[in-house]
Amino acid sequence: MGQTPNSTENIDKTPASAASKKPNQSKLFVPEPPFRPGDTPDYSHISVPSNHTPVRPDPLCDAHDTVEHALKLIRVLRFNGENAGPWKTDLSLEKKLEALEIMMRTRAMDERMFTMQRQGKMSFYMKSTGEEAVSVGHALALRDDDMTFPTYRQQGILIARGASMKEMMCQVLSNSGDPLDGKSIPVLYSFKKHGFFSISGNLGTQLIQGVGWAMAEAYKNTDGIASVFTGEGATAEGDFHYALNFASTYRAPCIINVVNNQWAISSFQGIAAGRGETFAARGTGYGLATLRVDGNDILAVYAATQWAAERARGGGGATVIEHYTYRAEGHSTSDDPSKYRAENEGDVWPFGDPIQRLKTHLIYMGAWDDERHAALAETLKKEVRETFKEAEAMGSVANSTQLPDSTMFEQVYETEPSHLREQRQMFNEELG
Amino acid sequence: MPQMTMIEAIRDALDVKMSQDPDVLVFGEDVGYFGGVFRCTAGLQEKHGLHRCFDTPISEGGIVGIAIGMASNGLRPVAEIQFADYIYPAYDQIASEAARLRYRSNGDFTAPLTIRTPVGGGIYGGTTHSQSPEALFTHISGLKTVIPSNPYDAKGLLITAIEDNDPVLFLEPKRLYNGPFDGDPHKPALNWKKHELGEVPAGHYTVPFEKARMIAEGDDVTILAYGTMVWVADAVVKEMGIKADVIDLRSLLPLDLDTIVESVKKTGRCVILHEATRTSGFGAELSSLVQEHCFYHLEAPIQRVTGWDTPYPHAQEWAYFPGPKRVKRAVKAVLKGA
Ligand SMILES: Cc1ncc(C[n+]2csc(CCOP(=O)(O)OP(=O)(O)O)c2C)c(N)n1
């Protein structure tokens, strides 16, 4: 190991400014993850609860009745493939097979796009590998017209809602088929028609906006709800506090999802968590209902979302859901996780892989087998490859985007003010 | 025609829009039952209901954040920030989100919201009740920034802002809330009720953006001003007995450049006034535009009279405020050799 965690070396050199004061035993504490590159990760201390999933209270219960749910873990899929416990869902077999396919399609797309980024076809990409159950399970439990306020790692919602993968790829390629005309970097999608709010590069901002959206639904007296997302890292932003506070004050019909994938780029979750018990427990102090769910268990995600959606639609207000999962791959195409975490950490993570877990369940149910699984993976791979070819034919930043540069002047305002008209003319004269 | 203070005109604009359009909601700190610390929303909750005009937690980022979410969901929120000095916690939501939403989503989502906030000094507000942060917002593409100088414009511009489909920052010079102010704190306070721009039509009317107002006209010099400084300029011109174009910009972004250029080409001289600090202030943009468009017509260097590059002091209020004495000096300087 290159450096010693919590080394005392640096603090033994007392700064001159402290010379007249007495020593303080707490020193300056800086949390460190349990494992760093070169370590052998061991997560045996994380208990994987199988038989003590908390009870499923009435969705319109008092928020306080979910205090213990913030500390426990809702699980449905057992490792042996069984579907058990109080949160067991009534999803049909057909729906479960569909869920599996959507997760697999999401992963297949991520794989292809990552490779294509490596081949220089686009500037950037972000995978959601290992977290597909969170977005897909969540989307399947919502109504398609419920607005989601995603981060850049919920592409599964779009796939689940039937967005055109070609259009998504065109966005990533910033080409003539890009609905955003090349204005945003890859994966910052916007699909209003699929209830998928425009993604911002600024972390956290969408949390409070989603609460505002939900307040508008309540004001209009509709039963639409909003579902907002953050990674656990960005819960440290002020916007997370705004969202919980406003959601509580105005009983906004929304779901506040914290996707705890353990990592925020290179920072382990302990940097954002402080001495807090869980991220779900943050909701308790605001008087919000709280659930903590095994995020690699799509049936548990589905069940928790369904509960929270019912609560929101029924006037019970917001629920904070912590989806406990693991970021299986690098943060983005610009990141190399081997520089800050143990190499095989994802493999030994005790909650497994969400696609494997659902697959095991479907096999246990007698509705699936390895051959069909492999065949589906192959079909999806082909489908994605073909779709990418079609998308690439519409241009890419690698060769020509096939987008007129002058589109950059559009949609700044509803109508073009004179200073922009003048700049567009300048642009034409200088570069046209 | 009814006579109104600027406070009453603003309240009336809100009342007119709330009566016409159920999508218009008004909220902010203390705006509900109490009616706002400056009374701009007095009576609105009682008249339109708790859910149309309500109090928020003390959270500027939260206030603008929910406004964006509501606006993108079809409502027309009018959010109040109690003092412009407290708008910074909302800066990320304004600059990164409200202003960029239409662009980054290529028109998929829009944010037709209005943010009202009192600005400016001259009220012994010290460092945190006197600021004029307009330049921090005119630098943001996608946002519109307007500032009225009188009750008539305040009502008309606010109605335009609420009806506009882009986010609008509506700056209210609090020194002008009750009456015009010529920069001399020793004179008795004036009231809008005796001023022709205090005549405010009842009901709906609008004042367009990107359109300046001529307060006075003349060939000697062009004075560009907005907010409180309009009335300082007006008084100085009258006192000096000169003929000047005093242009109240009203809308900073988008800007009525045509009126400015036409005037400076006529007078050949330009003085720019604002309360905000000098360096990188909006005056720098104005000066640059005048230089670019009127270079061959300029007979003297452009003068800027602004707040000093210091935080807004308390005890030294009148040494800081760009009052008549300094404005007169600058006007004399550009007129030299005329
Ligand atoms: C306001 C802001 N600060 C910093 C960044 C840079 N940044 C992008 S992603 C990221 C990590 C986010 O981690 P987390 O919230 O845990 O989400 P995850 O990437 O794990 O899904 C950071 C620091 C940003 N985009 N916005």
Side-chain angles (χ1 to χ4, degrees), chain A residues 359-392:
Chain A
K359 178 189 166 196
T360 306
H361 168 67
L362 290 166
I363 292 175
Y364 176 91
M365 300 288 288
W368 199 237
D369 54 47
D370 282 325
E371 291 72 48
R372 273 187 272 181
H373 194 86
L376 178 59
E378 197 46 45
T379 309
L380 291 171
K381 201 171 159 183
K382 246 186 242 154
E383 174 196 309
V384 168
R385 202 193 305 133
E386 292 308 313
T387 310
F388 185 75
K389 269 190 211 147
E390 284 173 36
E392 206 191 355

mmCIF file of all heavy atoms in Angstrom, chain A residues 359-392:
data_model
loop_
_atom_site.group_PDB
_atom_site.id
_atom_site.type_symbol
_atom_site.label_atom_id
_atom_site.label_comp_id
_atom_site.label_asym_id
_atom_site.label_seq_id
_atom_site.Cartn_x
_atom_site.Cartn_y
_atom_site.Cartn_z
ATOM 1 N N LYS A 359 -31.791 -13.728 -13.109
ATOM 2 C CA LYS A 359 -31.654 -14.932 -13.935
ATOM 3 C C LYS A 359 -31.822 -16.188 -13.058
ATOM 4 O O LYS A 359 -32.592 -17.103 -13.386
ATOM 5 C CB LYS A 359 -30.275 -14.934 -14.620
ATOM 6 C CG LYS A 359 -29.978 -16.150 -15.464
ATOM 7 C CD LYS A 359 -28.516 -16.161 -15.901
ATOM 8 C CE LYS A 359 -28.124 -17.526 -16.437
ATOM 9 N NZ LYS A 359 -26.678 -17.712 -16.531
ATOM 10 N N THR A 360 -31.114 -16.203 -11.937
ATOM 11 C CA THR A 360 -31.191 -17.349 -11.019
ATOM 12 C C THR A 360 -32.638 -17.589 -10.570
ATOM 13 O O THR A 360 -33.121 -18.717 -10.513
ATOM 14 C CB THR A 360 -30.297 -17.092 -9.791
ATOM 15 O OG1 THR A 360 -28.986 -16.780 -10.253
ATOM 16 C CG2 THR A 360 -30.239 -18.300 -8.873
ATOM 17 N N HIS A 361 -33.322 -16.489 -10.266
ATOM 18 C CA HIS A 361 -34.721 -16.601 -9.838
ATOM 19 C C HIS A 361 -35.583 -17.209 -10.944
ATOM 20 O O HIS A 361 -36.401 -18.109 -10.694
ATOM 21 C CB HIS A 361 -35.256 -15.220 -9.455
ATOM 22 C CG HIS A 361 -36.729 -15.164 -9.273
ATOM 23 N ND1 HIS A 361 -37.363 -15.823 -8.240
ATOM 24 C CD2 HIS A 361 -37.708 -14.535 -9.979
ATOM 25 C CE1 HIS A 361 -38.674 -15.606 -8.318
ATOM 26 N NE2 HIS A 361 -38.904 -14.824 -9.368
ATOM 27 N N LEU A 362 -35.401 -16.725 -12.163
ATOM 28 C CA LEU A 362 -36.229 -17.218 -13.264
ATOM 29 C C LEU A 362 -35.938 -18.686 -13.570
ATOM 30 O O LEU A 362 -36.843 -19.450 -13.913
ATOM 31 C CB LEU A 362 -36.028 -16.341 -14.513
ATOM 32 C CG LEU A 362 -36.624 -14.934 -14.367
ATOM 33 C CD1 LEU A 362 -36.123 -14.001 -15.460
ATOM 34 C CD2 LEU A 362 -38.155 -15.003 -14.380
ATOM 35 N N ILE A 363 -34.681 -19.070 -13.396
ATOM 36 C CA ILE A 363 -34.336 -20.486 -13.579
ATOM 37 C C ILE A 363 -34.986 -21.316 -12.470
ATOM 38 O O ILE A 363 -35.580 -22.361 -12.711
ATOM 39 C CB ILE A 363 -32.802 -20.676 -13.626
ATOM 40 C CG1 ILE A 363 -32.236 -20.034 -14.907
ATOM 41 C CG2 ILE A 363 -32.436 -22.175 -13.569
ATOM 42 C CD1 ILE A 363 -30.724 -20.049 -15.024
ATOM 43 N N TYR A 364 -34.909 -20.796 -11.253
ATOM 44 C CA TYR A 364 -35.527 -21.450 -10.087
ATOM 45 C C TYR A 364 -37.026 -21.650 -10.329
ATOM 46 O O TYR A 364 -37.609 -22.662 -9.969
ATOM 47 C CB TYR A 364 -35.274 -20.567 -8.860
ATOM 48 C CG TYR A 364 -35.910 -21.020 -7.571
ATOM 49 C CD1 TYR A 364 -35.221 -21.852 -6.685
ATOM 50 C CD2 TYR A 364 -37.181 -20.573 -7.222
ATOM 51 C CE1 TYR A 364 -35.793 -22.235 -5.486
ATOM 52 C CE2 TYR A 364 -37.755 -20.951 -6.021
ATOM 53 C CZ TYR A 364 -37.061 -21.782 -5.153
ATOM 54 O OH TYR A 364 -37.624 -22.154 -3.968
ATOM 55 N N MET A 365 -37.629 -20.649 -11.003
ATOM 56 C CA MET A 365 -39.063 -20.724 -11.297
ATOM 57 C C MET A 365 -39.357 -21.657 -12.482
ATOM 58 O O MET A 365 -40.520 -21.851 -12.833
ATOM 59 C CB MET A 365 -39.608 -19.332 -11.671
ATOM 60 C CG MET A 365 -39.461 -18.287 -10.597
ATOM 61 S SD MET A 365 -40.584 -18.553 -9.209
ATOM 62 C CE MET A 365 -42.138 -18.113 -9.974
ATOM 63 N N GLY A 366 -38.297 -22.120 -13.113
ATOM 64 C CA GLY A 366 -38.490 -23.007 -14.259
ATOM 65 C C GLY A 366 -38.868 -22.275 -15.533
ATOM 66 O O GLY A 366 -39.375 -22.865 -16.486
ATOM 67 N N ALA A 367 -38.631 -20.945 -15.542
ATOM 68 C CA ALA A 367 -39.064 -20.160 -16.697
ATOM 69 C C ALA A 367 -37.901 -19.734 -17.589
ATOM 70 O O ALA A 367 -38.080 -19.007 -18.558
ATOM 71 C CB ALA A 367 -39.817 -18.923 -16.204
ATOM 72 N N TRP A 368 -36.715 -20.170 -17.251
ATOM 73 C CA TRP A 368 -35.539 -19.657 -17.958
ATOM 74 C C TRP A 368 -34.428 -20.697 -17.862
ATOM 75 O O TRP A 368 -34.494 -21.591 -16.996
ATOM 76 C CB TRP A 368 -35.109 -18.348 -17.286
ATOM 77 C CG TRP A 368 -34.226 -17.430 -18.106
ATOM 78 C CD1 TRP A 368 -32.994 -16.980 -17.730
ATOM 79 C CD2 TRP A 368 -34.495 -16.828 -19.364
ATOM 80 N NE1 TRP A 368 -32.498 -16.134 -18.675
ATOM 81 C CE2 TRP A 368 -33.390 -16.025 -19.702
ATOM 82 C CE3 TRP A 368 -35.574 -16.909 -20.277
ATOM 83 C CZ2 TRP A 368 -33.312 -15.284 -20.890
ATOM 84 C CZ3 TRP A 368 -35.500 -16.168 -21.455
ATOM 85 C CH2 TRP A 368 -34.381 -15.367 -21.753
ATOM 86 N N ASP A 369 -33.450 -20.605 -18.730
ATOM 87 C CA ASP A 369 -32.301 -21.492 -18.605
ATOM 88 C C ASP A 369 -31.076 -20.817 -19.222
ATOM 89 O O ASP A 369 -31.193 -19.761 -19.856
ATOM 90 C CB ASP A 369 -32.581 -22.852 -19.274
ATOM 91 C CG ASP A 369 -33.019 -22.686 -20.718
ATOM 92 O OD1 ASP A 369 -32.373 -21.925 -21.453
ATOM 93 O OD2 ASP A 369 -34.045 -23.302 -21.101
ATOM 94 N N ASP A 370 -29.921 -21.426 -19.043
ATOM 95 C CA ASP A 370 -28.664 -20.833 -19.500
ATOM 96 C C ASP A 370 -28.642 -20.617 -21.005
ATOM 97 O O ASP A 370 -28.108 -19.623 -21.488
ATOM 98 C CB ASP A 370 -27.480 -21.720 -19.087
ATOM 99 C CG ASP A 370 -27.136 -21.524 -17.618
ATOM 100 O OD1 ASP A 370 -27.269 -20.372 -17.148
ATOM 101 O OD2 ASP A 370 -26.766 -22.506 -16.949
ATOM 102 N N GLU A 371 -29.225 -21.569 -21.741
ATOM 103 C CA GLU A 371 -29.187 -21.457 -23.199
ATOM 104 C C GLU A 371 -29.986 -20.239 -23.668
ATOM 105 O O GLU A 371 -29.513 -19.440 -24.474
ATOM 106 C CB GLU A 371 -29.769 -22.726 -23.871
ATOM 107 C CG GLU A 371 -28.916 -23.970 -23.712
ATOM 108 C CD GLU A 371 -28.951 -24.522 -22.276
ATOM 109 O OE1 GLU A 371 -30.071 -24.645 -21.722
ATOM 110 O OE2 GLU A 371 -27.876 -24.801 -21.704
ATOM 111 N N ARG A 372 -31.190 -20.124 -23.142
ATOM 112 C CA ARG A 372 -32.027 -18.991 -23.541
ATOM 113 C C ARG A 372 -31.346 -17.675 -23.141
ATOM 114 O O ARG A 372 -31.389 -16.697 -23.879
ATOM 115 C CB ARG A 372 -33.414 -19.096 -22.904
ATOM 116 C CG ARG A 372 -34.387 -19.928 -23.737
ATOM 117 C CD ARG A 372 -35.779 -19.869 -23.189
ATOM 118 N NE ARG A 372 -35.978 -20.925 -22.187
ATOM 119 C CZ ARG A 372 -37.133 -21.133 -21.549
ATOM 120 N NH1 ARG A 372 -38.178 -20.351 -21.769
ATOM 121 N NH2 ARG A 372 -37.244 -22.116 -20.683
ATOM 122 N N HIS A 373 -30.714 -17.718 -21.983
ATOM 123 C CA HIS A 373 -30.043 -16.520 -21.506
ATOM 124 C C HIS A 373 -28.912 -16.114 -22.462
ATOM 125 O O HIS A 373 -28.806 -14.944 -22.862
ATOM 126 C CB HIS A 373 -29.482 -16.744 -20.088
ATOM 127 C CG HIS A 373 -29.071 -15.483 -19.407
ATOM 128 N ND1 HIS A 373 -29.957 -14.704 -18.694
ATOM 129 C CD2 HIS A 373 -27.867 -14.846 -19.348
ATOM 130 C CE1 HIS A 373 -29.315 -13.636 -18.211
ATOM 131 N NE2 HIS A 373 -28.039 -13.702 -18.595
ATOM 132 N N ALA A 374 -28.110 -17.101 -22.821
ATOM 133 C CA ALA A 374 -26.985 -16.823 -23.719
ATOM 134 C C ALA A 374 -27.496 -16.349 -25.079
ATOM 135 O O ALA A 374 -26.933 -15.419 -25.690
ATOM 136 C CB ALA A 374 -26.123 -18.065 -23.879
ATOM 137 N N ALA A 375 -28.581 -16.979 -25.532
ATOM 138 C CA ALA A 375 -29.135 -16.607 -26.836
ATOM 139 C C ALA A 375 -29.645 -15.155 -26.796
ATOM 140 O O ALA A 375 -29.419 -14.373 -27.731
ATOM 141 C CB ALA A 375 -30.262 -17.553 -27.216
ATOM 142 N N LEU A 376 -30.321 -14.808 -25.706
ATOM 143 C CA LEU A 376 -30.842 -13.445 -25.581
ATOM 144 C C LEU A 376 -29.681 -12.444 -25.564
ATOM 145 O O LEU A 376 -29.725 -11.409 -26.244
ATOM 146 C CB LEU A 376 -31.699 -13.301 -24.314
ATOM 147 C CG LEU A 376 -32.257 -11.898 -24.051
ATOM 148 C CD1 LEU A 376 -33.141 -11.410 -25.205
ATOM 149 C CD2 LEU A 376 -33.059 -11.855 -22.748
ATOM 150 N N ALA A 377 -28.635 -12.793 -24.811
ATOM 151 C CA ALA A 377 -27.474 -11.893 -24.746
ATOM 152 C C ALA A 377 -26.907 -11.672 -26.140
ATOM 153 O O ALA A 377 -26.557 -10.544 -26.519
ATOM 154 C CB ALA A 377 -26.414 -12.485 -23.810
ATOM 155 N N GLU A 378 -26.855 -12.744 -26.909
ATOM 156 C CA GLU A 378 -26.305 -12.660 -28.270
ATOM 157 C C GLU A 378 -27.199 -11.794 -29.164
ATOM 158 O O GLU A 378 -26.728 -10.914 -29.888
ATOM 159 C CB GLU A 378 -26.163 -14.089 -28.836
ATOM 160 C CG GLU A 378 -25.250 -14.215 -30.028
ATOM 161 C CD GLU A 378 -23.915 -13.488 -29.876
ATOM 162 O OE1 GLU A 378 -23.272 -13.607 -28.785
ATOM 163 O OE2 GLU A 378 -23.530 -12.778 -30.817
ATOM 164 N N THR A 379 -28.518 -12.015 -29.069
ATOM 165 C CA THR A 379 -29.470 -11.218 -29.858
ATOM 166 C C THR A 379 -29.337 -9.735 -29.525
ATOM 167 O O THR A 379 -29.321 -8.882 -30.420
ATOM 168 C CB THR A 379 -30.923 -11.677 -29.539
ATOM 169 O OG1 THR A 379 -30.972 -13.088 -29.684
ATOM 170 C CG2 THR A 379 -31.930 -11.010 -30.442
ATOM 171 N N LEU A 380 -29.259 -9.451 -28.238
ATOM 172 C CA LEU A 380 -29.177 -8.045 -27.818
ATOM 173 C C LEU A 380 -27.885 -7.406 -28.306
ATOM 174 O O LEU A 380 -27.865 -6.259 -28.738
ATOM 175 C CB LEU A 380 -29.290 -7.939 -26.291
ATOM 176 C CG LEU A 380 -30.670 -8.273 -25.717
ATOM 177 C CD1 LEU A 380 -30.622 -8.344 -24.198
ATOM 178 C CD2 LEU A 380 -31.718 -7.247 -26.174
ATOM 179 N N LYS A 381 -26.822 -8.175 -28.236
ATOM 180 C CA LYS A 381 -25.531 -7.672 -28.682
ATOM 181 C C LYS A 381 -25.613 -7.272 -30.158
ATOM 182 O O LYS A 381 -25.149 -6.196 -30.554
ATOM 183 C CB LYS A 381 -24.481 -8.771 -28.490
ATOM 184 C CG LYS A 381 -23.057 -8.263 -28.425
ATOM 185 C CD LYS A 381 -22.132 -9.387 -28.005
ATOM 186 C CE LYS A 381 -20.708 -9.065 -28.420
ATOM 187 N NZ LYS A 381 -19.785 -10.141 -28.096
ATOM 188 N N LYS A 382 -26.252 -8.137 -30.928
ATOM 189 C CA LYS A 382 -26.408 -7.873 -32.360
ATOM 190 C C LYS A 382 -27.285 -6.642 -32.591
ATOM 191 O O LYS A 382 -26.961 -5.763 -33.385
ATOM 192 C CB LYS A 382 -27.038 -9.102 -33.047
ATOM 193 C CG LYS A 382 -26.073 -9.775 -34.023
ATOM 194 C CD LYS A 382 -26.760 -10.886 -34.796
ATOM 195 C CE LYS A 382 -26.089 -12.226 -34.478
ATOM 196 N NZ LYS A 382 -26.970 -13.374 -34.647
ATOM 197 N N GLU A 383 -28.387 -6.638 -31.869
ATOM 198 C CA GLU A 383 -29.339 -5.520 -31.999
ATOM 199 C C GLU A 383 -28.626 -4.190 -31.717
ATOM 200 O O GLU A 383 -28.760 -3.226 -32.467
ATOM 201 C CB GLU A 383 -30.497 -5.733 -31.006
ATOM 202 C CG GLU A 383 -31.475 -4.586 -30.923
ATOM 203 C CD GLU A 383 -32.355 -4.676 -29.670
ATOM 204 O OE1 GLU A 383 -32.948 -5.730 -29.413
ATOM 205 O OE2 GLU A 383 -32.423 -3.656 -28.938
ATOM 206 N N VAL A 384 -27.839 -4.176 -30.647
ATOM 207 C CA VAL A 384 -27.136 -2.959 -30.249
ATOM 208 C C VAL A 384 -26.120 -2.577 -31.319
ATOM 209 O O VAL A 384 -25.991 -1.411 -31.703
ATOM 210 C CB VAL A 384 -26.453 -3.154 -28.879
ATOM 211 C CG1 VAL A 384 -25.493 -2.019 -28.587
ATOM 212 C CG2 VAL A 384 -27.505 -3.255 -27.782
ATOM 213 N N ARG A 385 -25.409 -3.594 -31.830
ATOM 214 C CA ARG A 385 -24.394 -3.326 -32.843
ATOM 215 C C ARG A 385 -25.040 -2.720 -34.095
ATOM 216 O O ARG A 385 -24.569 -1.728 -34.634
ATOM 217 C CB ARG A 385 -23.641 -4.615 -33.183
ATOM 218 C CG ARG A 385 -22.270 -4.345 -33.788
ATOM 219 C CD ARG A 385 -21.639 -5.584 -34.410
ATOM 220 N NE ARG A 385 -21.541 -6.703 -33.484
ATOM 221 C CZ ARG A 385 -21.909 -7.956 -33.779
ATOM 222 N NH1 ARG A 385 -22.405 -8.251 -34.975
ATOM 223 N NH2 ARG A 385 -21.783 -8.930 -32.889
ATOM 224 N N GLU A 386 -26.148 -3.314 -34.516
ATOM 225 C CA GLU A 386 -26.859 -2.813 -35.704
ATOM 226 C C GLU A 386 -27.366 -1.394 -35.471
ATOM 227 O O GLU A 386 -27.231 -0.517 -36.317
ATOM 228 C CB GLU A 386 -28.054 -3.727 -36.042
ATOM 229 C CG GLU A 386 -27.654 -5.120 -36.530
ATOM 230 C CD GLU A 386 -26.646 -5.080 -37.669
ATOM 231 O OE1 GLU A 386 -26.870 -4.300 -38.622
ATOM 232 O OE2 GLU A 386 -25.606 -5.793 -37.586
ATOM 233 N N THR A 387 -27.947 -1.195 -34.305
ATOM 234 C CA THR A 387 -28.494 0.131 -33.989
ATOM 235 C C THR A 387 -27.369 1.165 -33.990
ATOM 236 O O THR A 387 -27.542 2.276 -34.493
ATOM 237 C CB THR A 387 -29.188 0.108 -32.612
ATOM 238 O OG1 THR A 387 -30.092 -0.995 -32.585
ATOM 239 C CG2 THR A 387 -29.960 1.384 -32.357
ATOM 240 N N PHE A 388 -26.226 0.761 -33.451
ATOM 241 C CA PHE A 388 -25.117 1.715 -33.407
ATOM 242 C C PHE A 388 -24.669 2.091 -34.819
ATOM 243 O O PHE A 388 -24.372 3.246 -35.104
ATOM 244 C CB PHE A 388 -23.937 1.171 -32.600
ATOM 245 C CG PHE A 388 -22.841 2.197 -32.457
ATOM 246 C CD1 PHE A 388 -22.986 3.260 -31.572
ATOM 247 C CD2 PHE A 388 -21.693 2.140 -33.235
ATOM 248 C CE1 PHE A 388 -22.002 4.235 -31.449
ATOM 249 C CE2 PHE A 388 -20.694 3.116 -33.120
ATOM 250 C CZ PHE A 388 -20.849 4.156 -32.223
ATOM 251 N N LYS A 389 -24.667 1.099 -35.689
ATOM 252 C CA LYS A 389 -24.277 1.376 -37.083
ATOM 253 C C LYS A 389 -25.209 2.406 -37.712
ATOM 254 O O LYS A 389 -24.782 3.350 -38.362
ATOM 255 C CB LYS A 389 -24.294 0.076 -37.907
ATOM 256 C CG LYS A 389 -22.953 -0.630 -37.918
ATOM 257 C CD LYS A 389 -22.957 -1.765 -38.922
ATOM 258 C CE LYS A 389 -22.043 -2.890 -38.454
ATOM 259 N NZ LYS A 389 -22.527 -4.214 -38.854
ATOM 260 N N GLU A 390 -26.500 2.198 -37.464
ATOM 261 C CA GLU A 390 -27.498 3.141 -38.002
ATOM 262 C C GLU A 390 -27.266 4.543 -37.430
ATOM 263 O O GLU A 390 -27.343 5.543 -38.145
ATOM 264 C CB GLU A 390 -28.917 2.708 -37.617
ATOM 265 C CG GLU A 390 -29.466 1.555 -38.417
ATOM 266 C CD GLU A 390 -30.809 1.097 -37.836
ATOM 267 O OE1 GLU A 390 -31.587 1.961 -37.361
ATOM 268 O OE2 GLU A 390 -31.053 -0.123 -37.830
ATOM 269 N N ALA A 391 -26.979 4.570 -36.131
ATOM 270 C CA ALA A 391 -26.771 5.875 -35.486
ATOM 271 C C ALA A 391 -25.516 6.545 -36.029
ATOM 272 O O ALA A 391 -25.504 7.738 -36.332
ATOM 273 C CB ALA A 391 -26.683 5.700 -33.966
ATOM 274 N N GLU A 392 -24.473 5.753 -36.164
ATOM 275 C CA GLU A 392 -23.191 6.304 -36.613
ATOM 276 C C GLU A 392 -23.283 6.856 -38.039
ATOM 277 O O GLU A 392 -22.568 7.807 -38.393
ATOM 278 C CB GLU A 392 -22.110 5.227 -36.522
ATOM 279 C CG GLU A 392 -20.731 5.805 -36.344
ATOM 280 C CD GLU A 392 -19.646 4.751 -36.529
ATOM 281 O OE1 GLU A 392 -19.983 3.570 -36.704
ATOM 282 O OE2 GLU A 392 -18.468 5.139 -36.497
#
